[in-house]
Amino acid sequence: MFSGSGHLSNSVARITGWVTLLWDITLGPEYDLRSAANRRRISGWMRNGWIVGFHLGTPCNSFTRARDVPPGPPPLRSDQQPLGLPNLRPCDQIKVIDGNCFMRFSAYMLRLGLRLVIPGSMENPQRSRIWLCPPLQYIRRHPHSHWQVTHYCAWGKPFKKATVFLSVHVQLHRLGGGICKSTKRGICQHSQKPHVQLVGQDAQGNWLTRLAQPYPQKMCDLIAKDFNDYTAARIATRFESYF
């Protein structure tokens, strides 16, 4: 869900052999997760046992701290008010409402995964204010949830982009090897070059944070392998119970 480029879905299909469904607004208005009917449809698939695993690339647009840095767009949230600042312009208030809707749906899916023992994960930048929201703080405290930090530069990207994967049941431990202990001068441990800073716009006027949204291919392959290993281990455990 919020599948974006589809890199992760392609890796999962190739490595696990599962049929994967991409769900993203870019595929058409019928994929809009602001629709309560669409959210009920997906949760119904979960309850009916039709889903063996899921991932949420939840939009961080309104939660990002990049908005705190001028001359970009103004912040919509703060650490003290992660659910939205007061007295926002109507157009910004809509962004906050949509962001909260997606955040709550993501937390609901993770809770459903915990209850039904279905492995799932959610991604957002490490410093995203989405992690300060109470529904996700609750998930973090659950004994079957896992918090994994990784850095995009470890997977071939020119920027660091510290990113968190909050997962339920499945542990994305392979991503733990993708940490950059960069020097004080900002030199990447992996490329030995300065990190590209995701601030401002490129020459074509595109926000650099948006250009950094697609997942690195190497990282996608490792996530798919962790999901595959989790499923194989569950099958092996069931098999052992027969003897």
Side-chain angles (χ1 to χ4, degrees):
M1 289 158 280
F2 312 108
S3 56
S5 66
H7 291 173
L8 179 57
S9 295
N10 291 336
S11 290
V12 169
R14 174 168 45 83
I15 289 171
T16 67
W18 298 344
V19 174
T20 58
L21 172 65
L22 282 72
W23 195 287
D24 194 276
I25 188 62
T26 59
L27 300 175
E30 64 270 29
Y31 290 91
D32 191 346
L33 283 173
R34 290 172 296 187
S35 162
N38 281 338
R39 298 195 299 272
R40 286 194 299 268
R41 180 178 294 114
I42 293 173
S43 61
W45 294 342
M46 289 272 283
R47 292 191 185 89
N48 288 331
W50 298 345
I51 293 177
V52 296
F54 64 93
H55 175 72
L56 297 138
T58 312
C60 66
N61 309 48
S62 67
F63 294 95
T64 178
R65 292 176 189 268
R67 283 180 165 268
D68 298 353
V69 182
L76 305 180
R77 307 172 189 271
S78 68
D79 291 358
Q80 294 72 35
Q81 296 174 300
L83 296 178
L85 295 172
N87 304 317
L88 294 172
R89 297 177 300 172
C91 60
D92 287 336
Q93 185 63 44
I94 290 173
K95 294 174 184 175
V96 167
I97 292 171
D98 288 347
N100 288 347
C101 172
F102 297 149
M103 177 274 295
R104 290 191 173 99
F105 173 66
S106 299
Y108 173 74
M109 289 296 293
L110 292 171
R111 289 199 310 273
L112 202 55
L114 284 168
R115 181 160 61 87
L116 300 175
V117 195
I118 298 173
S121 56
M122 171 187 166
E123 169 271 326
N124 242 243
Q126 185 178 10
R127 299 186 70 244
S128 169
R129 290 191 171 101
I130 203 169
W131 303 123
L132 301 177
C133 296
L136 291 170
Q137 294 268 303
Y138 170 82
I139 301 293
R140 281 197 66 183
R141 292 191 294 269
H142 196 283
H144 292 295
S145 72
H146 308 279
W147 179 267
Q148 185 63 65
V149 179
T150 196
H151 297 153
Y152 277 32
C153 60
W155 314 116
K157 295 295 184 179
F159 39 81
K160 190 171 183 178
K161 195 179 180 184
T163 300
V164 163
F165 285 80
L166 176 61
S167 59
V168 297
H169 296 300
V170 60
Q171 188 168 358
L172 305 180
H173 64 91
R174 285 183 170 90
L175 298 185
I179 299 296
C180 176
K181 298 178 180 178
S182 56
T183 66
K184 292 182 179 179
R185 294 180 295 126
I187 303 301
C188 179
Q189 173 188 348
H190 303 280
S191 69
Q192 300 304 311
K193 298 178 181 178
H195 290 124
V196 171
Q197 300 301 310
L198 298 176
V199 177
Q201 299 170 295
D202 64 10
Q204 287 72 45
N206 300 305
W207 293 106
L208 293 178
T209 50
R210 183 175 295 275
L211 295 177
Q213 286 178 354
Y215 295 168
Q217 187 60 57
K218 291 180 182 178
M219 189 177 78
C220 292
D221 289 349
L222 295 180
I223 295 170
K225 289 177 181 178
D226 282 335
F227 269 88
N228 194 53
D229 287 353
Y230 173 83
T231 304
R234 285 196 67 192
I235 292 172
T237 300
R238 290 198 202 100
F239 184 76
E240 289 174 357
S241 68
Y242 294 123
F243 297 93

